[in-house]
Amino acid sequence: MESLIAAVREQEETARFLAWPGDFDLDHGDHVEEVHLASGAALEGFAGDGAGGTYFFCGEGGEERPVLYADSEGGAAPVAIGLPELVRLLLVVPWWRDCQTLTSTESRELEAEYREDNPDLVARRDRAAAALGLSLPDQTEALARLREVAIQLGEEFVLIFTPEGHSYEPLFTP
């Protein structure tokens, strides 16, 4: 099976959608700060966003590993179990970082703002999902899964700012 990273790189329209509005760039996987997991598990940056945030694979393995997101302000949280789940989140709720309460109401308000600037958002999203062979959950399901992963795995994947030894703050609270 081809890697999803390779598939995204090969699908130009999909890569553009993930870059914006998804704010996900496979060419920016280096985090601006030296960090490690408190558990000592492996941490591999593989993508970033325009604000200096980084997506990391946690532990050993391939694209099925848990994904942790760390922003540039000292916040971090597990956001998906495996790259396919992360890509589904980015396709369905690309504004997830701005969705502080992770509720459908808040998400719909943010979606309306995004659609004002991107009227073809849904069509582009659907083409990207089809190109990758991914079925998509609805927003409510995607946000519920994000909350579930962040809360359940939050204690297992604590990100530490290595030079000072302090942990990043959780992005979401139970």
Side-chain angles (χ1 to χ4, degrees):
M1 181 172 126
E2 179 182 39
S3 86
L4 191 53
I5 288 175
V8 168
R9 288 187 189 283
E10 291 172 4
Q11 300 291 330
E12 187 175 327
E13 183 179 19
T14 299
R16 277 196 314 269
F17 183 92
L18 289 171
W20 188 255
D23 201 10
F24 175 83
D25 186 346
L26 287 168
D27 293 328
H28 292 96
D30 294 330
H31 197 59
V32 295
E33 301 175 327
E34 185 181 347
V35 295
H36 68 276
L37 289 173
S39 67
L43 189 66
E44 177 188 347
F46 68 92
D49 66 22
T54 307
Y55 292 92
F56 296 94
F57 284 125
C58 301
E60 301 297 326
E63 294 178 357
E64 77 286 351
R65 293 178 281 173
V67 176
L68 180 121
Y69 172 77
D71 66 23
S72 61
E73 304 298 317
V79 294
I81 304 297
L83 188 58
E85 187 171 276
L86 174 64
V87 171
R88 285 183 188 99
L89 173 67
L90 296 170
L91 291 172
V92 174
V93 193
W95 46 83
W96 70 269
R97 285 181 239 40
D98 297 323
C99 200
Q100 296 301 305
T101 62
L102 299 179
T103 63
S104 297
T105 300
E106 182 183 35
S107 183
R108 283 191 300 274
E109 291 169 4
L110 291 164
E111 178 185 20
E113 292 174 24
Y114 272 66
R115 289 181 78 166
E116 280 182 30
D117 295 331
N118 300 283
D120 63 343
L121 180 81
V122 173
R124 290 179 55 223
R125 177 204 67 198
D126 291 347
R127 285 192 303 270
L132 297 174
L134 295 174
S135 61
L136 297 177
D138 66 26
Q139 287 182 34
T140 302
E141 293 168 325
L143 292 170
R145 180 63 179 155
L146 171 58
R147 176 178 288 289
E148 177 184 7
V149 169
I151 302 305
Q152 285 183 353
L153 297 181
E155 290 183 24
E156 185 178 342
F157 296 105
V158 175
L159 192 64
I160 305 294
F161 178 51
T162 302
E164 296 178 11
H166 66 77
S167 62
Y168 275 52
E169 293 295 318
L171 290 176
F172 309 106
T173 54

